[in-house]
Every structure is written in C-alpha cells, then in structure tokens.
C-alpha cells in the first residue's frame, strides 16, 4: 500500500513580485514500510517536498496523498489529526520547545494524543530518550544541549508516538558520524520491527548508503529514483 | 501540562510578565482600596444620616412640587415639598400595615430669624430677669442699671448718626424719638427704678432700643418634630447642655455647633477658631494669613466689646489688662488697651486666650442666648408675611460622631406645635386652644391700643379658617416697633403644654421612618408606595440617599468618580495586557508553528495563551488584592483623617475607618482575571491562526 503518492506536484513560492518554483512537477509513490532517502544539492527542494508530505504546507498544483488521503481536500483539524497520529516530523532545525526540558519535549506529542497514562508515557519517553543516548540529560533544557543532542531530542520526539510515517529533514546533519550511524540504526530497527515508513533527506553519502531507495532531486525535479546501496546489497 | 507550559513561558519572559503583573496587581490593589473606600464612605454616610435625622425611609406628600431633600437643594433654599395632611392618621395606617417599622416621627424643616436685639435689648432682658429673681444680688443690679444708663446716654448720637443721617426716620417720628430720648436720659427716670420697673422697661424696650441701629439677626434652621420621640428614634442625638425638651412641652433644642459658632460672641468664636488652627493644624501667625486676619478682625470689633462692658466691668477689665500688658501710658484709654490686647501673635496667643476667658468673657455677653432663655423666633413665609413665636431654649445637643461638621449643625430641634405656628399650619385643636389663650391675654393686657389689638388678632390666626393648613397673606411687621409688640403678645405661648397626641394629630412636612432592621428599606419603600397608592394616603416614600438630596448623592458621585478612575486604570491595564500577550505571541510563531506541526490543535494554542494570562492575572491580582486588603485593614485601624469639616460629615467623624466584606476581594479578583482573559482574546486568536509552516521559518 502506498503511504505517499505525488502526482505532478508543483510548489511555487511567491517572493515579492517574482515567483520561485521550488518543485516543478514531481511524481512518485512510497510504499508503507519503505526506508527511503531524498537526496539533492542545497536548494533542490528537499525540505519543500517533506513539508508537503508533513501536511504543514500545500502544493500549488498536483496531488499529494498521505495515508491514502488527498491533503488538499482536508480540513485543518483533519490535517492536525494526521500530523499528530500518523506522522512524525524531524525538523532540519530541531524546533524544540525552549522552555521544556528533554523529558517534557519528548513527552509533548504523547500528551497531545492523550492515549497513554502517566506511567505508560514515562516508560515510552524513557525508552526513546535512552535510545538516542540522552538518559543523562533528562532535565536539560534545549539551550543547555549541543546541536547534536538537540537533534537527538527532536528524533526521540518524532518517534515516541509510534507514527506510521516518519519524515526527517537532514536528521544527521549535526551529528558526528558514530552517533549519526546509531540514529540511522535506531530508525532502521523501528522500520524493521514496527514497519514504520521512513523518508529522510540528506547530503551525507554514508547515510544515503543506508537507504533502500534514493530519490534524487535537482532544481525541483526528480532526477533519479533508484534502489539504494542497502537494497542492492541485500 | 498546559499550565506547566504557560508558567514556563511566563518565567522565560520574566521582565515582561513582571511589568504586566504589576499593572494587574496595581489595578487590583486600587480596586480593593477604592471599593472599600466607597463602601465604607457610603456605610458611614448612611449611618450618619439615617441615625441622626433622616431615618431609613422618609415619606412626604406626593403633591410635592420640588424634589424632596431634607438638607435643601443646596443652592435655592428650601424646596417646596408640600405637606402631610395628618401625621397621626398616616402613622396609624403605616404602622398597622408594616410591622417592620420601629418608629415614625413627624418632621419639617424651616428657617426662622431671631433678632438678638442690640446691647440695650440684651441688658434690658437681663434686668427684667433680675427683678423676677429675689436672690439677685443688689450690687450686680445697680451695676446693670449703670450700664443701661451709659448705653442710653450713648444712644442719641448713635441714633442721629445712623438712622436720621440716612433718612430712615420721618420728621414726626424724629420729634417723638428725641422726646423719648430726653425722657430716658433724665436722671428722674432712673430714680426709684426698682419700685415699679415694668412700665419703664417696656418704655426702654419699645421706644429707645429701636433707635439703636446695630442689630444682630440670626438665621436658625430648625426641624420641627416630637423631640423626645425623635431622641428615642435617633440614637446619635446627644444632649450637651441643659436637657431634652420634655414630653408635653414646647421649646427648642439648639444645635451645639450653632451655639458655639453663631450664638457665641464673634470675637470669642474667632479666638476659638484660632486656637483650633494652632493646636490642630499647627498654624502660626508668622505663616498663616488667615490667622492674622482673624486677629485684626477682633481688633476692629473692640467697639462692640466696649458697649457690652458695664462701667464697673470696664474698670475691672482695665485693671486686669494693666496687670497683663503693664501699666498704661499717658492717654491710653481702654479702647486702645483692648486693641493692643487683641493684636495677638505666636508668642502671646496662649496667654491671652486664657486671659480672654478669665477676664473679658465674664464681663461681656458671651452667648446671646442661654439655656433657659425664652426668645422670639420670626419666620417669613414665601409669600412674605411673618409669624412670631416665643421659644424656650431647653438645652443644646449634637450628633455624636460628627459634632464638628457644619453640615451636621444646620438643624436645631423644635416641638411640632411651635413648628406649625411658625409655618402657618393651624389644626382645629390648636385653634380652640389659641382662642382661649388670646381671650385671656387680651383681658390681662389692657394697655394694648387698637392697632395692637389688630395685630394680636393676627396671631390668633382667626382669619385663617378658610385654609387651615395653608398660609394666608397677612401684614408684614414694618418695623421693630411692631415686632416689639409681637414679643409682648407671644410671651405666654411658650409655656403651654402640648401632648404627644396633639403634636401628632396635625400636618407636618415629612416623616422619618426608622426600621427594626435597616436592610429592609429596599423592600419596604416600594411596598409603602404601592400601599399609599392603593389606600390614597397621598404620600411617597424614598430612601435615605434620595431624602438627603445633595448630601445623599455625594456617596453616589464619589462612587462613580472612583469607579471611573478604576475603570480607566483597568482599561489601560487591559491594553497593556493585550499588547504584551500579542508581542509574546508574535515572538513565538516558530514555537507555535512547531506545536501545530507536531499535532497541536488550534484550540490548544488558544488555551495556552489563556492559561498564561490566567496564571499571570490570578497570581498578581491575588497579590494586589492582598496588598489592598492589608492597606484596608491598616486604614481600618488607623483611619483616613478627614481633610476638612465637610468631609468629616461624610466620614461620620474626623476619620474614616475602612471596612471590607468578604465578597469584594473575590469580586475584584474575578473581575481582574476575566478582564485579563478578555484582553487576551485577540492575541489568542492571532496565536491560533499561526500556520504550522511557520515552524520552518527561522529568522
Ligand atoms: N519560504 C520560501 N520562500 C521563498 N522561497 C523559498 C522558501 N522556502 C524555500 N524556497 C526556495 O525554494 C527552493 C527549495 O528550497 P528547499 O528549502 O526546499 O531546498 P533544500 O533542498 O531543502 O535545501 P537545503 O539542502 O539547503 O536545505 C530554494 O530555491 C529556496 O530558495
Ligand atoms: Mg532543506
């Protein structure tokens, strides 16, 4: 089953009087359970594409389907529900809530969902904080953490609610290669164990090599869509 | 969670939270303080008025032309409020129907004048009294006679300078007056004076005293009522001198304030005022123009003091003054010595104040009227005719708590029978009594000539039968000579007995109702009005605020002023809150966008903003309310000093002690929080409009 479907998607950004085309007719589909990467040089449209899938932005034209639903036709509250229950989003610039510590930031989506009791939430939060290696920083605020640590909090926050689809915008950009790899390993394990679909953008060749499918963007168009090294290796 | 986030957000922007919080706290503080001030002021004004004069409810004629006000309308004299035709019937009817009524007394306010007369009148009255009193010391009477002779001797000059020179006397009268003066100056007139003094006293009173120009008129505002019932109904009435007008008697009870300020010698009044200003307000002659002016006013009134001194009093005072000021130099007479004495300064005031009361006051007329005196009161109705009634002064009284307020001093108390006589009301009962009295008087006083008989008739109100309760035009006494005639006619009236029932059974202007429980006034007023309408009682009931006219409205005005002031503070506060929360929202668009992108509903964002405002306003409003309560409690113990006498009436004393009920702080708290939430409506709306995409837009 396709969890993402793009059909001739265009996205233009108005910039003063000119219009900046960020996506110029992109079509592809992603099956549930895939572990894929979006690659491409800076400015090629990776973030734009992820935003459209993440239901935080709408396409100028074309069709974006997420979990079988055409996002253009959904109301704000349905989209909110989709973001909360189906999606996990790892932002390029972390976007942690500055006044909350690590624990509270990670717990935040669980509180919004409201389906777990306090003890259940705690177990879940601790599990993911431990997985991203921040057990010792539970009560630190974002401004007391390094960039890499913040990134890991953001990852834990995205994964903690067990979404069907996780979108990650350059998840390892701020991590040293060892941590980066352990994060990828974590994502892979979730992909394997819970069939969570992952789609991440990256420049990092090493990370790309972990993907089973790589969609290459160039100047707002799909340049290539190939099976990744990982897929070929297996 | 929401609350935690809200509190964290507030803490993260401490300075702004503190600024907004201070505004909230300040507003709450002022609201509690102001609210308590208004409540306390209203409560104390209410107790001042309801417990002194007004009662819980006032009833008056529904035919009243002007708005009812016991204290006058403030500018245009007494309002025309019609009258209640028969108090007794009204009372019976209302008391039977409304068991909540504890007491009901008839009232009526009017103004009358009293001419204390000039010094000759005063001394003649004293002499007359001395003849009636067998134990009066002979030496003192001789001194009095000498004083009278001295005054008579000076009268001729006074008469020519003031009356003749100003064309106030016709040539025929002048000739007669000069003949009278000559007779009074003749030593033979004074020989054997004490043998049969009455004709001579009458002669001096009627023919010589009117020739002295100087007259002191006194306006007395009084309330006619049944005095002892009034005292029972109004616990704040306290007797200071003498006694309450006894049940069944006619007479007047003078307000102590009037006694001390209008009836007392004006030089002494000024000295008292100076003492108060020095003692209470720490004024000095060096710094206070008002003090110096009072001293020089006293200096210029030395002439009055001189005429009041008897010859022996004058020489005694001169000796005392020499002791105080040192021996007099060449050509220094008593006048210049007194002028020197009254020219006081910071160094000698205390000593001379004491000297005045020790050595000057006993030798002059310190009070024009004293307890026990009988004096004629004259009232002028609006249509221009007059009534005179002799009044006995039984004592003086004050309203406890606000004895120093001139506003509380406006009323003297008078029995209802005299009130009706002065007002021109006549009841059938009274008509019969008066006819009998007049018949007896006319028989006794055979010396009356025909014109005086006419005049006496006037006082019997025989011509009034057509309109028993109203006023019928009559002749205005054209001169003092006529008033002097009145005096003789009316001399006996004051001693008549009048039963409570007679005082009740007749007209009055209004009536005060005192309730068993004052809280019932609000319910009872409309009930009385409805009852009056259905039974045709012809009266209207109002509460104390309305009945007190301008005074009652002061509480309302203060309330509106303060409410307006606090409303402005709150408005400014609301504006500040709105701006602060708006800024907080705009600064946090990325954060809000992120929350939205993670799956927070619009609702959540809105609640977050409200939670922040609520937390901020609850904490700081509580703080402000607590500070306000502390201030109120403190001021409740210490009291706010009344800045002036007028205020002391409002304050029911020299200080206002603030009180506060349990509801008010809670109301203030709730209002403040609600208002803050209202002020954050727009920022909250703007916040929930932040799109999730804003999460990506870092500056
Ligand atoms: N809000 C915006 N307004 C105008 N232009 C935008 C906006 N966001 C992106 N663009 C433009 O759209 C194009 C695609 O940008 P996008 O952020 O998707 O690139 P990217 O591949 O994520 O780059 P990077 O690797 O640097 O993150 C760029 O040319 C960018 O300038
Ligand atoms: Mg990007």
């Amino acid at each position: 089953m396709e969890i993402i479907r793009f059909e001739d998607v265009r996205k233009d950004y108005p910039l003063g009087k000119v219009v900046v085309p960020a996506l110029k007719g992109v079509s592809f589909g992603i099956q549930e359970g895939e572990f894929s990467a979006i690659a491409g040089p800076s400015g090629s449209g990776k973030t734009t594409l992820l935003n459209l899938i993440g239901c935080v932005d709408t396409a100028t034209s074309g069709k974006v389907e997420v979990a079988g639903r055409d996002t253009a036709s959904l109301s704000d509250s349905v989209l909110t529900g989709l973001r909360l229950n189906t999606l996990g989003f790892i932002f390029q610039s972390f976007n942690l809530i500055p006044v909350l510590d690590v624990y509270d930031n990670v717990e935040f989506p669980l509180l919004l969902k409201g389906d777990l009791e306090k003890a259940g939430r705690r177990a879940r939060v601790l599990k993911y904080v431990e997985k991203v290696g921040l057990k010792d920083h539970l009560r630190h605020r974002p401004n007391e953490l390094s960039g890499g640590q913040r990134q890991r909090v953001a990852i834990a926050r995205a994964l903690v609610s067990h979404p069907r689809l996780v979108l990650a915008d350059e998840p390892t950009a701020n991590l040293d290669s060892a941590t980066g790899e352990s994060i990828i390993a974590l994502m892979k394990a979730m992909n394997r164990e819970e069939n969570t679909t992952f789609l991440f953008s990256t420049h990092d060749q090493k990370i790309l090599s972990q993907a089973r499918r790589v969609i290459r963007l160039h100047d707002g168009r799909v340049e290539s869509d190939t099976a990744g090294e990982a897929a070929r290796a297996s | 969670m929401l609350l935690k986030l809200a509190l964290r957000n507030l803490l993260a922007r401490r300075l702004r939270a503190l600024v907004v919080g201070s505004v909230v706290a300040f507003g709450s503080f002022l609201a509690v303080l102001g609210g308590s001030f208004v409540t306390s002021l209203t409560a104390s004004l209410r107790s001042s008025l309801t417990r002194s004069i007004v009662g819980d409810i006032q009833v008056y004629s529904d035919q009243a032309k002007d708005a009812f006000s016991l204290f006058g309308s403030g500018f245009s004299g007494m309002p025309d409020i019609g009258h209640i035709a028969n108090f007794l019937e009204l009372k019976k009817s209302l008391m039977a129907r409304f068991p909540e009524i504890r007491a009901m007394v008839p009232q009526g306010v009017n103004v009358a004048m009293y001419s204390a007369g000039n010094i000759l009148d005063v001394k003649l009255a004293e002499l007359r009294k001395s003849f009636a009193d067998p134990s009066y010391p002979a030496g003192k009477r001789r001194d009095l006679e000498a004083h009278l002779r001295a005054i008579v001797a000076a009268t001729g000059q006074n008469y020519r300078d003031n009356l003749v020179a100003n064309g106030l006397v016709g040539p025929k009268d002048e000739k007669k007056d000069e003949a009278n003066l000559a007779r009074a100056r003749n030593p033979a007139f004074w020989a054997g004076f004490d043998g049969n003094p009455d004709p001579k006293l009458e002669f001096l009173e009627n023919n010589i005293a009117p020739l002295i120009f100087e007259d002191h008129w006194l306006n007395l505002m009084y309330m006619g009522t049944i005095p002892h019932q009034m005292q029972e109904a109004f616990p704040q009435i306290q007797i200071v001198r003498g006694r309450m007008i006894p049940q069944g008697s006619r007479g007047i009870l003078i307000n102590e304030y009037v006694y001390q300020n209008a009836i007392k010698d004006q030089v002494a009044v000024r000295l008292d005022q100076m003492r108060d200003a020095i003692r209470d307000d720490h004024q000095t002659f060096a710094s206070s123009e008002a003090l110096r002016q009072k001293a020089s006013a006293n200096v210029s009134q030395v002439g009055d003091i001189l005429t009041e001194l008897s010859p022996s009093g004058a020489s005694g005072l001169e000796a005392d003054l020499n002791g105080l000021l040192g021996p007099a130099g060449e050509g220094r007479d008593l006048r210049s010595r007194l002028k020197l004495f009254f020219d006081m300064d910071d160094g000698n005031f205390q000593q001379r104040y004491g000297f005045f009361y020790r050595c000057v006051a006993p030798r002059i007329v310190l009070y024009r009227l004293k307890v026990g005196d009988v004096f004629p009161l004259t009232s002028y109705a609006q249509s221009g005719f007059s009534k005179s009634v002799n009044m006995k002064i039984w004592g003086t009284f004050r309203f406890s708590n606000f004895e120093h307020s001139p506003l509380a001093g406006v009323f003297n108390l008078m029995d209802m029978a005299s009130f009706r006589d002065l007002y021109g009301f006549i009841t059938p009962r009274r008509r019969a009594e008066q006819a009998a009295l007049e018949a007896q008087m006319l028989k006794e006083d055979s010396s009356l000539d025909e014109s005086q008989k006419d005049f006496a008739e006037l006082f019997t109100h025989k011509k009034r039968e057509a309109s028993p309760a109203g006023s019928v035009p009559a002749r205005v006494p054209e001169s003092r000579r006529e008033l002097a005639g009145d005096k003789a006619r009316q001399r006996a009236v004051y001693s008549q007995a009048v039963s409570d029932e007679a005082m009740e059974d007749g007209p009055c202007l209004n009536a005060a109702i005192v309730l068993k429980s004052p809280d019932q006034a609000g319910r009872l007023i409309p009930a009385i009005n409805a009852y009056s309408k259905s039974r045709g009682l012809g009266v209207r009931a109002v509460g104390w605020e309305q009945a007190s006219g301008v005074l009652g409205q002061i509480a309302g005005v203060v309330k509106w002023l303060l409410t307006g002031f606090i409303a402005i503070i709150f408005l400014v506060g609301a504006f500040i809150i709105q701006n602060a929360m708006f800024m907080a929202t705009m600064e946090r668009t990325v954060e809000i966008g992120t929350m939205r992108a993670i799956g927070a509903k619009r609702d959540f964002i809105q609640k977050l903003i409200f939670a922040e405002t609520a937390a901020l306003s609850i904490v700081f409003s509580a703080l402000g309310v607590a500070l306000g309560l502390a201030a109120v409690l403190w001021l409740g113990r210490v009291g706010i000093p009344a800045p002036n006498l007028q205020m002391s009436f409002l304050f029911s004393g020299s200080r206002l002690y603030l009180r506060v009920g349990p509801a008010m702080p809670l109301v203030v708290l709730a209002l403040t929080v609600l208002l803050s939430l209202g002020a954050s409506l727009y920022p909250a709306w703007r916040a929930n409009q932040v799109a999730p995409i804003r999460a990506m837009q870092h500056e």
Side-chain angles (χ1 to χ4, degrees):
Chain A
M1 186 204 162
E2 266 184 346
I3 195 164
I4 301 169
R5 169 100 230 128
F6 264 51
E7 279 173 24
D8 193 23
V9 172
R10 289 171 181 276
K11 178 68 184 176
D12 298 334
Y13 287 113
L15 196 70
K17 275 178 189 150
V18 296
V19 169
V20 181
L23 295 178
K24 303 171 178 171
V26 174
S27 303
F28 67 92
I30 286 181
Q31 296 292 321
E32 180 138 33
E34 276 194 32
F35 193 81
S36 319
I38 297 179
S42 182
S44 58
K46 302 185 294 291
T47 301
T48 304
L49 189 120
L50 287 173
N51 284 350
L52 293 180
I53 303 168
C55 301
V56 297
D57 208 352
T58 48
T60 309
S61 71
K63 193 172 182 184
V64 177
E65 272 184 26
V66 177
R69 312 182 74 167
D70 182 355
T71 58
S73 67
L74 299 177
S75 71
D76 180 73
S77 69
V78 176
L79 287 175
T80 306
L82 208 58
R83 289 196 293 265
L84 179 62
N85 298 309
T86 310
L87 298 170
F89 210 114
I90 302 164
F91 301 87
Q92 194 169 2
S93 39
F94 332 130
N95 288 34
L96 300 177
I97 297 171
V99 295
L100 297 181
D101 60 25
V102 169
Y103 184 95
D104 291 335
N105 260 293
V106 176
E107 193 190 22
F108 192 73
L110 296 178
L111 285 162
L112 290 177
K113 278 180 95 164
D115 56 353
L116 282 180
E117 288 306 305
K118 193 178 167 117
R121 286 203 306 269
R122 185 170 173 79
R124 189 81 76 78
V125 170
L126 290 178
K127 178 177 153 194
Y128 281 92
V129 170
E130 192 165 0
K131 279 187 178 181
V132 297
L134 286 173
K135 225 175 80 187
D136 300 333
H137 297 78
L138 274 181
R139 291 300 161 201
H140 287 242
R141 297 262 183 108
N143 61 356
E144 296 159 349
L145 298 172
S146 71
Q149 286 171 323
R150 288 183 211 180
Q151 182 67 298
R152 285 185 271 159
V153 179
I155 290 164
R157 182 176 68 182
L159 301 182
V160 75
S161 59
H162 290 179
R164 278 169 69 193
L165 170 60
V166 175
L167 304 168
D169 201 358
E170 317 234 6
T172 58
N174 298 287
L175 307 180
D176 60 78
S177 58
T179 324
E181 272 172 44
S182 78
I183 293 287
I184 295 296
L186 172 72
M187 303 206 304
K188 265 195 150 163
M190 271 192 74
N191 173 251
R192 214 171 32 242
E193 288 156 18
E194 303 185 25
N195 201 32
T196 308
T197 311
F198 279 87
L199 180 62
F200 53 89
S201 73
T202 187
H203 293 299
D204 189 338
Q205 208 46 51
K206 242 182 176 168
I207 303 296
L208 267 182
S209 66
Q210 304 279 331
R212 277 192 233 121
R213 176 181 172 188
V214 177
I215 300 168
R216 286 189 188 276
L217 287 184
H218 187 78
D219 196 17
R221 288 197 175 83
V222 179
E223 191 186 52
S224 68
D225 187 347
T226 55
E229 277 172 45
R232 272 172 264 150
S234 66
Chain B
M1 167 66 203
L2 203 65
L3 197 64
K4 187 184 200 172
L5 195 55
L7 288 177
R8 293 271 174 82
N9 279 329
L10 290 174
L11 281 175
R13 290 169 177 83
R14 253 168 243 143
L15 190 69
R16 181 161 57 210
L18 213 67
V19 170
V20 175
S22 320
V23 173
V24 171
F26 183 62
S28 307
F29 172 79
L30 276 186
V32 168
L33 202 62
S36 145
F37 181 76
V38 169
T39 338
S40 310
L41 190 71
T42 310
S44 76
L45 187 63
R46 177 188 176 142
S47 90
S48 280
L49 291 168
T50 58
R51 292 162 59 84
S52 62
I53 279 178
V54 182
D56 299 309
I57 299 174
Q58 278 278 338
V59 290
Y60 62 104
S61 165
D62 59 7
Q63 306 293 311
K65 288 201 187 76
D66 296 333
F68 179 72
S69 165
L70 267 183
F71 297 90
S73 50
F75 304 103
S76 52
M78 303 309 299
D80 180 356
I81 58 161
H83 66 270
I84 294 170
N86 188 298
F87 173 78
L88 188 60
E89 282 164 21
L90 179 69
K91 179 180 166 183
K92 278 182 181 158
S93 158
L94 289 183
M95 299 276 278
R97 175 72 177 78
F98 300 104
E100 297 89 341
I101 297 177
R102 182 163 73 81
M104 188 167 163
V105 286
Q107 294 183 333
V109 174
N110 200 10
V111 183
M113 287 192 311
Y114 159 61
S115 166
N118 47 54
I119 184 65
L120 184 56
D121 288 310
V122 173
K123 290 292 154 188
L124 277 171
E126 234 178 286
L127 191 62
R128 191 189 293 279
K129 234 196 256 169
S130 80
F131 286 122
D133 176 7
S135 63
Y136 201 86
K140 210 170 156 192
R141 183 181 302 150
R142 267 197 304 282
D143 193 36
L144 206 51
E145 278 182 36
H147 192 182
L148 276 170
R149 286 184 73 168
I151 295 168
V152 168
T155 300
Q157 199 56 46
N158 182 305
Y159 170 71
R160 282 182 287 275
D161 286 354
N162 293 305
L163 295 178
V164 179
N166 291 313
L168 295 171
V169 193
K172 205 177 124 204
D173 282 340
E174 190 183 343
K175 226 166 120 194
K176 209 171 92 194
D177 291 339
E178 287 292 355
N180 286 332
L181 278 168
R183 183 184 160 199
R185 271 199 302 271
N186 191 334
F189 180 84
W190 300 90
F193 194 87
D194 43 2
N196 178 18
D198 277 353
K200 287 180 176 172
L201 288 174
E202 294 260 335
F203 172 78
L204 289 173
E205 197 171 276
N206 293 341
N207 298 305
I208 304 300
L211 305 184
I212 300 179
F213 182 66
E214 169 234 29
D215 253 352
H216 293 291
W217 286 91
L218 186 66
N219 272 317
L220 288 179
M221 194 184 207
Y222 54 88
M223 170 174 275
T225 183
I226 303 172
H228 76 96
Q229 286 187 12
M230 180 94 181
Q231 191 183 26
E232 285 151 20
F234 293 95
Q236 287 194 334
I237 295 178
Q238 279 183 343
I239 300 297
V240 181
R241 284 158 218 270
R243 56 174 296 195
M244 179 43 105
I245 304 167
Q247 186 170 355
S249 298
R250 285 169 161 261
I252 193 166
L253 197 68
I254 300 285
N255 192 301
E256 180 70 13
Y257 184 86
V258 173
Y259 192 67
Q260 293 300 351
N261 288 278
I263 293 175
K264 197 173 187 178
D265 180 87
Q266 288 306 298
V267 171
V269 169
R270 267 182 228 113
L271 285 172
D272 292 345
Q273 288 169 347
M274 288 154 84
R275 179 207 51 189
D276 291 348
I278 291 167
R279 187 186 59 193
D280 302 337
D281 299 341
H282 309 289
Q283 290 187 21
T284 61
F285 284 86
S287 64
S288 165
E289 175 68 24
L291 269 189
R292 291 194 297 270
Q293 269 174 7
K294 286 207 162 78
S296 66
N298 276 353
V299 170
S300 67
Q301 217 158 312
V302 158
D304 290 357
I305 291 196
L306 280 172
T307 54
E308 288 182 18
L309 287 168
S310 69
S312 72
S315 57
L317 180 58
E318 201 153 15
D320 289 340
L321 275 172
N322 286 342
L324 180 80
L325 302 171
E330 266 307 293
R332 294 281 176 191
D333 59 358
L334 184 54
R335 178 181 294 269
S336 64
R337 298 295 278 167
L338 274 172
K339 281 188 170 174
L340 184 66
F341 170 75
F342 282 113
D343 188 14
M344 300 178 183
D345 58 37
D346 290 317
N348 59 29
F349 180 82
Q350 298 305 338
Q351 187 195 18
R352 291 193 183 180
Y353 181 85
F355 180 89
F356 176 85
Y357 279 101
R358 219 169 39 248
C359 304
V360 183
R363 292 172 167 131
I364 62 171
V365 183
L366 191 58
Y367 294 95
R368 293 181 177 277
L369 294 169
K370 292 189 201 64
V371 173
D373 282 358
V374 175
F375 71 103
L377 255 182
T378 304
S379 76
Y380 287 88
Q382 275 161 338
S383 47
F385 55 89
S386 72
K387 301 272 156 303
S388 273
V389 171
N390 264 8
M391 300 295 317
K392 174 169 178 170
I393 302 178
W394 288 92
T396 68
F397 77 103
R398 68 181 174 201
F399 297 110
S400 60
N401 286 345
F402 46 95
E403 54 270 16
H404 293 303
S405 166
L407 288 168
V410 290
F411 290 125
N412 304 287
L413 291 182
M414 184 188 287
D415 73 279
M416 204 64 212
S418 303
F419 176 85
R420 288 190 191 122
D421 287 350
L422 281 170
Y423 199 81
F425 283 136
I426 183 153
T427 63
R429 194 195 282 259
R430 176 85 187 111
R431 193 177 307 133
E433 282 171 9
Q434 204 147 12
L437 179 81
E438 290 299 323
Q440 192 190 356
M441 266 178 52
L442 290 177
K443 211 165 36 187
E444 279 173 3
D445 201 345
S446 52
S447 66
L448 286 181
D449 61 25
E450 273 312 300
S451 73
Q452 283 172 320
K453 268 182 193 156
D454 273 357
F455 199 71
E457 208 164 59
L458 224 153
F459 275 92
T460 65
H461 305 277
K462 272 178 195 151
K463 291 168 188 163
R464 298 232 154 161
E465 278 152 33
S467 97
S471 310
V472 171
R475 221 153 46 96
V476 180
E478 276 145 22
S479 71
R480 271 200 47 154
R481 285 173 223 260
E482 274 184 305
L483 284 178
D486 288 0
K487 257 191 244 178
R489 302 298 87 65
Q490 290 292 305
R491 207 156 272 152
V493 179
Y494 70 88
S495 56
Q496 271 186 311
V498 189
S499 69
D500 274 15
E501 210 207 336
M503 292 212 207
E504 290 186 328
D505 187 11
C508 62
L509 299 191
N510 53 288
I513 291 177
V514 177
L515 299 175
K516 286 169 184 157
S517 153
D519 307 333
Q520 293 170 327
R523 194 173 54 76
L524 230 56
I525 291 167
I528 292 175
N529 281 325
Y531 185 66
S532 167
K533 217 165 250 164
S534 72
R535 289 298 172 96
L537 300 179
V539 294
R540 195 181 295 154
V542 291
W544 68 273
E545 278 164 302
Q546 238 181 303
S548 312
V550 179
L551 267 183
Q553 285 157 23
I554 287 175
V557 170
V558 172
K559 189 180 198 159
W560 283 115
L561 281 179
L562 257 170
T563 308
F565 179 66
I566 289 169
I568 289 172
I569 300 256
F570 270 62
L571 235 90
V572 171
F575 185 75
I576 291 176
I577 291 171
Q578 196 193 71
N579 273 289
M581 292 313 293
F582 184 72
M583 271 167 67
T585 308
M586 292 301 107
E587 279 172 14
R588 293 198 322 234
T589 51
V590 171
E591 198 182 316
I592 293 169
T594 304
M595 290 193 259
R596 295 279 285 124
I598 299 174
K601 295 194 185 100
R602 288 190 167 172
D603 199 36
F604 177 87
I605 306 299
Q606 200 160 326
K607 278 188 197 153
L608 178 64
I609 301 292
F610 284 140
E612 286 181 25
T613 316
L616 187 75
S617 58
I618 287 173
V619 168
F620 281 93
S621 177
L623 182 77
V625 167
L627 285 175
L629 279 179
V632 168
L633 288 180
W634 180 66
L635 287 172
R637 194 165 321 138
V638 183
I640 303 171
N644 52 42
L645 289 176
Q646 279 78 1
M647 288 305 282
S648 77
F649 183 78
L650 295 185
F651 285 12
S652 263
S654 56
R655 278 165 184 274
L656 179 69
Y657 296 94
L658 291 190
R659 273 158 297 181
V660 66
M664 211 245 294
L666 296 179
V667 169
V668 169
L669 188 69
L671 272 180
T672 311
V673 174
L674 273 178
L675 196 78
S676 306
L677 289 179
S680 61
L681 268 176
Y682 176 69
W685 179 77
R686 283 296 296 257
N688 80 31
Q689 293 298 306
V690 169
I693 188 69
R694 302 298 289 263
M696 316 298 162
Q697 289 161 1
H698 294 269
E699 293 312 313

